Amino acid sequence: MRDYDVLVIGGGVVGSAVARELTRYRLKIGVLERESDVCTQTSGRNTGMLHAGFLYKPGTLKAKCAVEGNGEFDRVAKELDVPFRRTGKLIVGFTEEHRRRLLAMIERGRENGVPGMELIDRARMDEIDPSAGGNFAVFCPTSGILDPFLYTIALAENAVHNGADYHLYTNVTGAARLDDGRIVLNTNRGEFSARWVVNSAGLNSAVISEMLGIPGYRIQPIKGEYFVLDKKAGVFAKIPVYPAPTERNTFDTHATPTVDGNVLVGPNSFPVEDGEDYSVSRSGMNGLQESGAKMFRHMKREYYIRTFAGARPKRVDPQTGEIQDFLIERRDEVPGVINLVGIESPGLTSALPIARRAVRLIEEKERLIPNDAFDPVRRGIRRFHEASVSEKRQLVAENPDYGEIICRCETVTRAEILAAIHNPLGVTTVNGIKVRTRASMGRCQGGYCEMRITAMIREELGKAAEDVRLTNGRSFMFTGAVKGGEQA
Amino acid sequence: MTHVQAIVVGGGPAGLAAALRLREKGIEDILILERETLAGGILRQCIHDGFGLTRFGESLSGPEYAQRFIDRVAQEGIRCVADTTVLDISSDKTVTAVSRKRGLMQFQADAVLLTMGCRERTRGALAVPGTRPSGIYTAGVAQNYINLQNIMVGRETVIMGSGDIGLIMARRLTLEGAHVKGVYEVLPYPSGLPRNIEQCLNDYGIPLYLSHTVTEIRGRERLESVVVAQCDERFEPIAGTEEEIPCDTLILSVGLIPENELSLAAGVALDARTRGAFVDEHCQTNVPGVFAAGNVLHVHDLVDFVSLEAEQMAESAAEYLNAGSLPACCLEVKAGADIGHVIPQRISGTRDFTLSLRVRKPMRNVTLVLAQKDRTVKRVRLRKALPAEMIQLTVRKADLCEDADLEVYVE
């Protein structure tokens, strides 16, 4: 049995933020992540928005955490070396009904403490982004875009840097309590114990909550599908463009530039039974083509490079089905459990504010001793592509691996791939390299680099071909050598 | 910054042939930049035979075909810098490249010959519905793994699309003991060459399903099955015809796209039909001194024609380098009825030139017409015309006038 002070179940953006915030104290922290990496589920399957906080009911945790998280993100992005741009956002309308809703939204934003929102006309819209659809819009200056993979990875790496342990491929299957009150977690990789357990299991947070002794929550996954568009379309997308909120105060399909210069079109939004079914449907894609074109005038087939889907784990009232706020709780009758249930959008924006609230709940019960060695700074992999010509010259001169281009579309070098293969979390999948470097995220989708990356994984980590995985579980890529051949 | 007379971007079949012809035409200062360790381009992984029938009158494997050019390049002492990726080409013909040995390099070229070849269309570009498991490969990627790395990509295989590389891989996978369950082509006719249908599918009993496509991909980790369905004439799946086929591997052979990212950086204008550059009869793009030939210009069916086109380009490039400019090409070549695309898109009307084209649909006993205004330039009777096969014909200056666009159509 491996013993910890705190065990965090789920290494997504919230779990990793909790782990990172806990390393500010002298605690032994373990994170149990079921998958091959920290951003394979909800944390990596979203729009990558830094929300401003104008959509949520005043006084809710969603409103408070989003505004708090938004306000501090320039510092956070710098500290953790996360690609981030404060682009602002347009929420566009076509009809008088839309205008009414947009005005109500400005009012709500004001109540929540979102600064600078204003209603603007088409002329102003054209100044901001002529490719945006709509006749008028709300401009919100504080919204931004970030790389959700790298933010999650950065939090996790910073947690590891400050002493936390990450256990990948570790699925919690049960929980029990020892006589001294410590909680034992059973997993496919043996038993773990801790004084505190934080449930940040996302789509499975209700299941884990029940396992830990707090039954009665219900998670309704709301699925959304997306198109990823080529950077050739990205040159037209200056700012995220959202439609006016629906009657149910949610957003339909939007078009959002990514920090790397692509465009995301989506998501649609519909309830599903199985939140981990990430397939995209023909009908969904057809719908996105139509609704996406309303938001983004360059929504064209020739720009498609990929589709994906994600699910928002919404906590709903088990009786009425009504959507509820984030849940951040500690119950006296179930000591040692911090429960984070129904953390969905704006969870990316709210991850650190939620984490601080979770830490506070622990602090209310025991004195936490500051960790003087805590270092909030994490450095990412230096990107060749983003360097100037003279910097590139310097990089290659210092490290010849920067002179070997592995991913043609995104100009990712051998040096970056090597750094990603030897990442602090011990992730070994092809997808893990992808989200850390952008290799294979371009228009040829790995046609040039995948074979080089799999060869490097085999070489660097001493793996046989059949042990290389694309991503989770049994996602093997090769079945072995050719007839009578030796693997090259 | 180093000055170079002619930079050839890419040492595949087009680049090698172009460099050799430049040298034959007296150009001394030539530099081939090749991103791989060895020249030869995609031919290195094409270990099947059938290359060179037109050019050499014998059937060679891809590496054998390439080696004939590589040897001559070496004999001629033409510089070929390998392991070097071109990062940027500017419109003033500054070429920026990087390699681990030489670091970051910048060259000022008098002429740039674009011979970067093409890449494969992906699943993402088609937005094929379903999950994203492992086990999905484009045909060329699978070919690389099997032929160059000796590793097998899977066992129970479905092939989507009937492009030539997919057909070649159907046979290759079968020879390696994999089971190829079928080739599913959305069009009502094959995309690949008739000889490949015969030698790669029919000879091995692999079924080809026309007007069929993969409508869904299933499996969360490794591929578990695909759903295929019959398609109507608008390529939409017909409800009720779906069939689930268990498999662990899906090979995509759904089209090739000229790789023109560097061309775009140089300010080269592209034709939406070929997705390659607009060129004149000298293979010159809209940027003076920047030329393009081979699969970067338009996707060819046979490498023999790639070599030939690259040599014609090199002759023009040599003329450009020696004379400082080339005759203006003011007449447009227009793709008319049933013609998919034409190369070149502009001509002078004062010289012989080679016209390359593809038809839009399979046809039998038709007449291809070249006309300027109401005047017929040339009529060619074709017993069959297939989209899979590139059609080339020489047009004589004697047949052309200098004051009207040239229209190409099927009568």
Side-chain angles (χ1 to χ4, degrees):
Chain A
M1 181 141 64
R2 278 156 287 188
D3 301 323
Y4 286 92
D5 293 320
V6 187
L7 281 167
V8 179
I9 304 176
V13 70
V14 174
S16 291
V18 170
R20 190 256 189 169
E21 288 306 298
L22 284 169
T23 56
R24 292 178 187 273
Y25 304 94
R26 279 201 232 159
L27 293 166
K28 195 172 177 221
I29 297 145
V31 179
L32 307 180
E33 169 55 51
R34 189 188 61 180
E35 306 295 347
S36 58
D37 201 348
V38 291
C39 46
T40 67
Q41 307 269 333
T42 308
S43 302
R45 296 169 172 277
N46 56 70
T47 318
M49 277 298 307
L50 185 79
H51 285 286
F54 51 74
L55 193 66
Y56 319 104
K57 205 170 151 191
T60 59
L61 280 168
K62 284 182 184 175
K64 287 185 205 160
C65 290
V67 173
E68 195 178 311
N70 183 291
E72 69 182 347
F73 208 78
D74 293 275
R75 178 182 52 77
V76 171
K78 213 170 162 193
E79 233 169 46
L80 297 173
D81 199 7
V82 177
F84 164 62
R85 264 199 303 141
R86 205 174 276 282
T87 49
K89 182 194 275 190
L90 288 176
I91 308 100
V92 306
F94 294 88
T95 66
E96 279 314 299
E97 174 59 22
H98 290 159
R99 188 186 296 273
R100 199 186 56 73
R101 284 186 206 150
L102 289 179
L103 288 170
M105 203 176 69
I106 291 178
E107 193 43 48
R108 178 168 273 195
R110 198 168 293 144
E111 270 186 74
N112 288 346
V114 179
M117 292 172 76
E118 55 175 327
L119 193 71
I120 61 172
D121 60 12
R122 184 67 233 185
R124 273 284 308 282
M125 289 172 72
D126 283 336
E127 283 168 29
I128 293 170
D129 187 349
S131 68
N135 303 331
F136 48 86
V138 167
F139 175 62
C140 174
T142 55
S143 305
I145 52 177
L146 62 103
D147 182 330
F149 303 117
L150 285 183
Y151 182 38
T152 308
I153 288 165
L155 286 165
E157 288 186 357
N158 191 236
V160 168
H161 175 63
N162 286 301
D165 293 340
Y166 268 70
H167 300 274
L168 301 173
Y169 300 106
T170 305
N171 184 21
V172 175
T173 52
R177 208 171 275 270
L178 297 173
D179 292 341
D180 63 0
R182 289 175 69 83
I183 300 168
V184 177
L185 297 177
N186 307 105
T187 79
N188 57 322
R189 301 213 160 186
E191 291 184 336
F192 293 80
S193 80
R195 213 161 56 245
W196 291 95
V197 172
V198 180
N199 168 20
S200 54
L203 287 161
N204 289 301
S205 56
V207 175
I208 295 291
S209 176
E210 180 158 4
M211 225 179 254
L212 294 171
I214 307 177
Y217 293 121
R218 194 182 138 207
I219 292 293
Q220 172 62 63
I222 303 287
K223 185 169 170 175
E225 299 166 309
Y226 291 84
F227 274 106
V228 184
L229 304 188
D230 196 297
K231 287 179 174 177
K232 285 175 187 159
V235 299
F236 302 113
K238 308 253 182 291
I239 182 172
V241 180
Y242 281 49
T246 63
E247 262 171 83
R248 294 175 2 261
N249 199 35
T250 57
F251 283 133
D252 280 334
T253 308
H254 36 266
T256 307
T258 71
V259 274
D260 299 293
N262 295 94
V263 182
L264 300 179
V265 175
N268 48 21
S269 176
F270 51 96
V272 287
E273 282 292 308
D274 179 358
E276 294 179 47
D277 174 1
Y278 295 124
S279 61
V280 296
S281 62
R282 185 172 293 270
S283 59
M285 293 295 109
N286 289 343
L288 283 184
Q289 280 167 22
E290 205 178 301
S291 56
K294 283 186 203 157
M295 292 299 112
F296 182 57
R297 290 172 177 172
H298 302 275
M299 174 73 187
K300 288 182 197 157
R301 243 194 138 75
E302 63 182 286
Y303 294 135
Y304 295 175
I305 59 175
R306 195 169 176 84
T307 59
F308 72 94
R312 284 167 282 180
K314 287 189 188 283
R315 182 168 69 98
V316 297
D317 185 301
Q319 267 75 51
T320 65
E322 195 193 336
I323 293 164
Q324 295 175 313
D325 196 10
F326 293 158
L327 180 104
I328 305 174
E329 70 169 354
R330 186 201 64 231
R331 292 191 185 182
D332 286 342
E333 69 271 27
V334 192
V337 172
I338 303 295
N339 219 9
L340 309 176
V341 181
I343 312 296
E344 48 127 352
S345 180
L348 199 62
T349 311
S350 305
L352 279 173
I354 290 168
R356 285 193 292 270
R357 282 163 173 78
V359 173
R360 228 172 287 147
L361 291 179
I362 294 177
E363 214 172 3
E364 282 168 13
K365 286 289 172 188
E366 70 175 53
R367 202 169 76 85
L368 298 179
I369 303 159
N371 167 17
D372 297 331
F374 177 78
D375 175 10
V377 175
R378 170 260 180 194
R379 287 274 77 93
I381 299 169
R382 178 74 192 274
R383 286 183 169 175
F384 182 75
H385 175 62
E386 290 167 2
S388 69
V389 170
S390 59
E391 288 170 340
K392 280 176 178 155
R393 200 183 294 277
Q394 180 84 19
L395 281 170
V396 186
E398 284 167 8
N399 178 1
D401 287 331
Y402 270 110
E404 188 176 336
I405 307 296
I406 300 292
C407 169
R408 228 311 253 115
C409 301
E410 300 292 314
T411 323
V412 183
T413 63
R414 187 179 187 87
E416 294 154 84
I417 306 287
L418 285 172
I421 289 175
H422 299 290
N423 66 83
L425 298 180
V427 173
T428 62
T429 62
V430 175
N431 209 56
I433 309 304
K434 171 180 166 172
V435 296
R436 282 164 178 76
T437 63
R438 285 192 59 77
S440 84
M441 280 198 190
R443 55 183 68 94
C444 92
Q445 288 287 296
Y448 182 71
C449 66
E450 186 201 87
M451 51 194 116
R452 291 165 167 77
I453 291 169
T454 54
M456 284 177 71
I457 290 175
R458 287 162 54 201
E459 191 183 313
E460 290 295 313
L461 304 178
K463 280 178 183 284
E466 46 276 43
D467 295 327
V468 176
R469 293 287 180 275
L470 179 64
T471 170
N472 297 330
R474 282 179 39 76
S475 60
F476 63 91
M477 298 196 57
F478 310 108
T479 52
V482 294
K483 275 186 190 170
E486 263 181 51
Q487 296 178 7
Chain B
M1 185 122 41
T2 317
H3 175 263
V4 180
Q5 248 188 314
I7 288 190
V8 178
V9 184
L16 293 168
L20 281 166
R21 185 56 59 91
L22 280 174
R23 176 57 53 87
E24 280 169 32
K25 290 286 161 187
I27 305 301
E28 282 303 314
D29 187 14
I30 306 165
L31 176 61
I32 306 173
L33 298 175
E34 168 55 44
R35 62 190 184 185
E36 303 277 350
T37 302
L38 298 168
I42 204 68
L43 291 174
R44 291 181 54 245
Q45 67 186 51
C46 299
I47 62 172
H48 53 283
D49 69 350
F51 299 94
L53 284 165
T54 304
R55 186 182 182 91
F56 297 113
E58 56 184 310
S59 182
L60 305 172
S61 72
E64 285 172 329
Y65 184 95
Q67 198 61 42
R68 296 201 174 187
F69 291 84
I70 293 168
D71 289 344
R72 284 184 52 213
V73 163
Q75 280 161 19
E76 291 291 331
I78 297 170
R79 278 187 300 160
C80 178
V81 178
D83 288 318
T84 299
T85 304
V86 174
L87 298 174
D88 186 49
I89 304 171
S90 66
S91 52
D92 68 355
K93 299 187 282 286
T94 303
V95 177
T96 307
V98 70
S99 91
R100 43 183 316 135
K101 236 194 254 166
R102 294 175 174 82
L104 196 90
M105 298 162 271
Q106 287 196 305
F107 306 97
Q108 179 64 59
D110 294 335
V112 175
L113 285 70
L114 304 173
T115 52
M116 291 92 77
C118 56
R119 63 165 185 269
E120 297 179 285
R121 185 170 281 125
T122 66
R123 176 200 173 179
L126 299 178
V128 183
T131 53
R132 298 188 314 191
S134 65
I136 303 171
Y137 298 93
T138 55
V141 170
Q143 190 177 47
N144 180 290
Y145 282 131
I146 295 174
N147 291 351
L148 294 184
Q149 299 194 36
N150 283 351
I151 47 183
M152 269 300 272
V153 293
R155 292 288 158 202
E156 293 294 314
T157 308
V158 166
I159 298 184
M160 178 180 186
S162 60
D164 285 308
I165 316 171
L167 302 177
I168 297 286
M169 287 313 293
R171 175 174 66 184
R172 187 75 186 95
L173 284 157
T174 305
L175 292 172
E176 283 300 333
H179 177 210
V180 179
K181 296 187 157 185
V183 176
Y184 294 84
E185 170 57 58
V186 71
L187 296 169
Y189 51 85
S191 300
L193 294 168
R195 76 173 196 206
N196 285 333
I197 300 287
E198 207 50 53
Q199 295 169 10
C200 299
L201 301 186
N202 296 347
D203 286 359
Y204 294 86
I206 299 166
L208 169 65
Y209 301 92
L210 298 172
S211 296
H212 275 72
T213 196
V214 174
T215 59
E216 195 187 334
I217 288 166
R218 293 181 179 170
R220 292 195 184 180
E221 296 172 349
R222 178 76 187 198
L223 179 66
E224 289 168 14
S225 68
V226 296
V227 178
V228 296
Q230 211 179 317
C231 297
D232 63 21
E233 59 280 1
R234 290 171 45 252
F235 312 127
E236 289 294 321
I238 300 169
T241 65
E242 298 89 354
E243 187 193 347
E244 182 171 8
I245 303 177
C247 57
D248 61 26
T249 308
L250 176 65
I251 303 289
L252 300 179
S253 184
V254 289
L256 299 169
I257 301 164
E259 193 157 67
N260 274 298
E261 276 60 46
L262 290 170
S263 322
L264 287 169
V268 170
L270 302 186
D271 183 336
R273 291 164 301 185
T274 57
R275 299 187 74 164
F278 280 106
V279 288
D280 59 23
E281 67 196 25
H282 317 296
C283 286
Q284 188 174 222
T285 67
N286 62 307
V287 182
V290 176
F291 299 82
N295 282 346
V296 78
L297 180 57
H298 58 128
V299 175
H300 290 62
D301 52 351
L302 296 175
V303 71
D304 306 61
F305 298 126
V306 167
S307 306
L308 205 64
E309 186 174 87
E311 285 161 349
Q312 288 179 351
M313 165 183 69
E315 290 195 14
S316 297
E319 186 184 339
Y320 171 86
L321 287 168
N322 291 327
S325 70
L326 287 162
C329 292
C330 301
L331 310 181
E332 199 180 330
V333 184
K334 294 175 173 167
D338 289 327
I339 304 294
H341 68 254
V342 290
I343 293 284
Q345 293 93 337
R346 298 193 88 81
I347 56 169
S348 63
T350 62
R351 290 188 178 195
D352 297 353
F353 74 96
T354 303
L355 177 71
S356 303
L357 61 94
R358 293 216 190 207
V359 294
R360 278 192 190 283
K361 61 180 187 198
M363 290 172 284
R364 283 187 178 280
N365 299 317
V366 289
T367 304
L368 185 68
V369 181
L370 279 62
Q372 282 180 304
K373 279 191 197 148
D374 302 328
R375 204 173 62 85
T376 302
V377 173
K378 191 166 184 150
R379 293 173 65 85
V380 185
R381 187 88 186 135
L382 299 170
R383 271 190 49 237
K384 62 171 187 162
L386 302 175
E389 292 178 334
M390 189 172 80
I391 296 169
Q392 277 192 330
L393 34 128
T394 304
V395 184
R396 301 282 167 208
K397 68 175 176 190
D399 298 327
L400 292 166
C401 67
E402 292 173 38
D403 57 0
D405 292 343
L406 180 70
E407 190 164 357
V408 185
Y409 57 92
V410 176
E411 196 171 66

